[in-house]
Amino acid sequence: MDRTRIRVFFKCSAPLIFWLCLLSTFFLGFFWQTSEGHWLNRGISILCETQRLSRNKTDLLDNSPEIELPRMVYTKAHIFKPLRTDVLTVTPWFAPIVWEGSYNLDILNEQFRQKNMTVGLTIFAIKKYVVFLQRFLETAETYFMVGHRVKYYVFTDRPEAVPNVTVKDGREIVPLKVQNYSRWQEISMRRMEIISYFSKQRFINEVGFLVCVDVDMRFNDHVGVEILSELFDTIHPGFYASERKAFTYERRNNSKAFIPQDEGDFYYAGGFFGGTVDKVYQLTKKCHEAIMADKNRSMEAIWQEESHLNKYFVYHKPTKILSPEYLWDNNFGSPQFLKKKRFLAVPKNHAVIRNRRNSHLKC
Ligand code: 4GW
Ligand code: MN
């Protein structure tokens, strides 16, 4: 009797049980898919994430380019024979200071060649300063980054006045039109804004390093890959031996360029700095912002963008420093320690070209 009852019960409810099972499987599946908070689900996604991350890192390890030097024969360095004994060749934060005789160019050239990079050189030739272009570019072809790829970015308000200098294979002159400003201080300072803008828009896709220099200059000796590093600047030829108090930093404390008397390492020149595109972008952007902040309070730093650059370097130490060999002016003579004058100021006919500052020429 009981058995038949049970059989009848099952016969009647079997379809119901069947549908119930089907429905619950469906709902379980649905919640499994959607509930991010489910502990099992969370566990699985964490597992996937770590696997994905570690796979990316392994890819990086496997694909990072190897720089391997060929057999090279050269005089080895010697612990008790410093390459230069007369000048400082490293800063207390371990940045090299580049002097003639302190580096092996063959090693550096080979390492750079294997990186397969192009160097961008930015110059500004606004208004009358286009007259400096011909000699600048010709001497750069003889001395600047010889054997490597170079893009000369020439910012000018007169692209038609950029001379047609023939350049070697792998090198190119790129005129870029910019507006001119009526005040020379503005022309000088706006370089920061323009370099930061173009770094983001263009340079980052075209070159590995940027070198940003004045145009009223000529190359007079080798300037090569020994200068390249993440962030570099040149010691100003007027202040290489000066004490801090003699540096012409901005000393008014309401300017963004203000540097207190007891801070600062060197007086850096605004006419020769550079680095990787990202580092030059950060530097020029920050200097431009500081210049604009000053402008909004009707201030202008004593040496315009050079003052802001010096401020930046107090708190963002350069990774390499160029000796005054890389930015010299014959008005400072020919001191013993200066083995080469690689990049020289072209004397300006101030009456014709400009009517400006000479007070840097004190030493
Ligand atoms: C005064 O009349 C002027 S004009 C001061 C700078 C002028 C100027 C500067 C200019 O008319 N056009 C121009 O392109 N520049 C750029 O700014 C040029 O690249 C130049 O090398 C740079 C800095 O000016 P500068 O070489 O005359 O500055 P210092 O004397 O510090 O080297
Ligand atoms: Mn200059």
Side-chain angles (χ1 to χ4, degrees), residues 204-324:
I204 191 70
N205 301 314
E206 298 189 357
V207 295
F209 288 94
L210 282 172
V211 180
C212 310
V213 298
D214 268 13
V215 76
D216 54 343
M217 305 290 297
R218 67 184 163 94
F219 290 87
N220 184 58
D221 210 321
H222 167 90
V223 174
V225 300
E226 74 281 359
I227 69 169
L228 300 177
S229 188
E230 267 194 3
L231 186 63
F232 59 88
D233 205 319
T234 311
I235 297 174
H236 194 290
F239 303 94
Y240 55 83
S242 304
E243 292 303 317
R244 272 183 183 147
K245 62 179 183 314
F247 291 163
T248 55
Y249 290 155
E250 175 57 68
R251 300 300 189 185
R252 293 169 296 174
N253 66 10
N254 50 345
S255 163
K256 286 271 183 196
F258 168 67
I259 301 174
Q261 293 285 348
D262 56 355
E263 290 186 68
D265 305 289
F266 299 98
Y267 189 78
Y268 300 101
F272 196 149
F273 65 90
T276 52
V277 180
D278 58 332
K279 293 290 182 251
V280 170
Y281 172 71
Q282 286 172 1
L283 170 143
T284 49
K285 184 166 179 269
K286 194 138 185 181
C287 285
H288 171 61
E289 285 166 1
I291 288 167
M292 296 318 278
D294 271 9
K295 201 186 178 76
N296 286 339
R297 282 173 292 128
S298 307
M299 283 213 74
E300 190 172 279
I302 176 165
W303 290 109
Q304 294 80 34
E305 77 292 344
E306 188 173 78
S307 306
H308 291 278
L309 199 72
N310 271 281
K311 172 69 177 265
Y312 188 85
F313 285 130
V314 176
Y315 306 111
H316 307 80
K317 303 289 190 212
T319 54
K320 195 178 263 185
I321 293 180
L322 310 183
S323 70

Side-chain angles (χ1 to χ4, degrees), residues 124 126 129 184 191 214-216 354-357:
F124 287 74
I126 315 253
Y129 275 56
W184 64 258
R191 290 188 289 177
D214 268 13
V215 76
D216 54 343
R354 47 176 282 190
N355 39 32
R356 189 195 180 188
R357 59 196 202 192

Side-chain angles (χ1 to χ4, degrees), residues 122-130 132 155-157 181-185 187-189 191 213-217 236 270-271 303-306 327 329 345 348 350 353-358 360:
T122 70
I123 40 176
F124 287 74
I126 315 253
K127 295 199 263 194
K128 290 180 187 165
Y129 275 56
V130 289
F132 294 108
F155 293 104
T156 180
D157 55 335
Y181 289 91
S182 52
R183 289 178 67 240
W184 64 258
Q185 294 91 337
I187 294 177
S188 202
M189 289 192 297
R191 290 188 289 177
V213 298
D214 268 13
V215 76
D216 54 343
M217 305 290 297
H236 194 290
W303 290 109
Q304 294 80 34
E305 77 292 344
E306 188 173 78
L327 186 51
D329 186 321
K348 287 189 277 267
H350 289 261
I353 295 292
R354 47 176 282 190
N355 39 32
R356 189 195 180 188
R357 59 196 202 192
N358 280 322
H360 264 145

